[in-house]
Amino acid sequence: MQQGLAAYRETGAKLTGPYFLTLLAEAYGKVGQVEEGLSVVAEALAAVDKAGERLWEAELYRLKGELSLRSRQVKAGPKSPAPNTQPLAPKRRRKLKRVF
C-alpha cells in the first residue's frame, strides 16, 4: 500500500489523497501498528485541511477514535473484570420485576 501511495503522490495528484491515507491507516490498525495508523490519520487530516476535501473527514475522525482507543488498551494491558458486576445483575432483575 505504501508503494502505491508513493507512486500516486509522484503523479502530483491531490484529489482523493485523504481516501488512500484512510485506507493505509486502517490497514495499520488491523495489523496492530496503532501508532503508525494514528500518524497516517494525522497526515490525512492535515491534507483535508489543506485541500478542503472534506469527503473523508468524518471517517478519519472515526478511525482516529478507534485507533486511539486501541492505543490506550495496548498501553494499559489486559483488563481485569470490573468489580461488583456480578452482584448488580440480580438487583437489576428484581427491580425490573417490580416495575413490570
Side-chain angles (χ1 to χ4, degrees), residues 10-24:
E10 286 178 12
T11 66
K14 303 258 187 238
L15 192 62
T16 67
Y19 169 71
F20 294 120
L21 290 170
T22 302
L23 293 177
L24 181 60

Side-chain angles (χ1 to χ4, degrees), residues 3-95:
Q3 291 173 346
L5 186 58
Y8 174 78
R9 287 180 175 162
E10 286 178 12
T11 66
K14 303 258 187 238
L15 192 62
T16 67
Y19 169 71
F20 294 120
L21 290 170
T22 302
L23 293 177
L24 181 60
E26 193 167 21
Y28 274 134
K30 286 184 179 180
V31 296
Q33 296 179 353
V34 178
E35 296 304 320
E36 290 86 348
L38 285 169
S39 175
V40 172
V41 167
E43 180 185 346
L45 286 170
V48 163
D49 285 338
K50 185 176 180 181
E53 183 186 350
R54 306 251 178 242
L55 181 63
W56 294 99
E57 188 174 26
E59 177 64 13
L60 283 166
Y61 279 112
R62 182 202 64 80
L63 189 55
K64 181 180 180 181
E66 184 180 307
L67 292 173
S68 295
L69 182 63
R70 284 190 201 169
S71 175
R72 278 187 249 136
Q73 289 173 345
V74 168
K75 290 176 184 173
K79 285 179 127 181
S80 61
N84 301 327
T85 52
Q86 291 299 330
L88 285 178
K91 289 179 186 177
R92 287 186 181 158
R93 276 195 291 269
R94 284 185 293 226
K95 198 175 207 180

